Amino acid sequence: MRCPYCSSLDTQVKDSRPTEDAASIRRRRVCPDCGGRFTTFERVQLRELMVVKKSGRRMPFDRDKLQRSVEVALRKRPVETERIERLVNGIVRQLESLGEPEVSSDRIGELVMDGLKGLDHVAYVRFASVYRNFDEPKDFGALIGELSGEGAGLGQAKPVPAPRAKREPNKGGV
Ligand SMILES: [Zn+2]
């Protein structure tokens, strides 16, 4: 593993241990050339899983992309990175356990929504509003209705504008 500071190829592993959920191995490394310390994660590589989009287009499954969309939904929410990592690992494991070479982007979206529902309701509403492409306030009403059936922390789950609302028309763009 190349040193990120000085690019030396001669770095050494000082310590390696599984993460809390045992889905990855965390290695602490040190570079003998510059003394730099850094951490790497080792994870299982999914055999080529293809994602089928709504348009019918196929793309290789991209864990980082999944993680980014979860992080966008959770932006500024009081949720530890470790829990986000665990949520994403959980989704990936569920995809693996399907045992299929292909999975629809809808299926992944549903898994993310299930996960966020248990983690943070505000993030859940944000994600759902983008994912389901809500147009009407009543769509939010229906979603909040679904959530309130379960109790738990609804005080703040007002319709939060999605961080990347793609349905906003480009107002007055000249
Ligand atoms: Zn170095």
Side-chain angles (χ1 to χ4, degrees), residues 3-8 11 31-36:
C3 172
Y5 308 107
C6 73
S7 296
S8 164
T11 59
C31 170
D33 291 344
C34 73

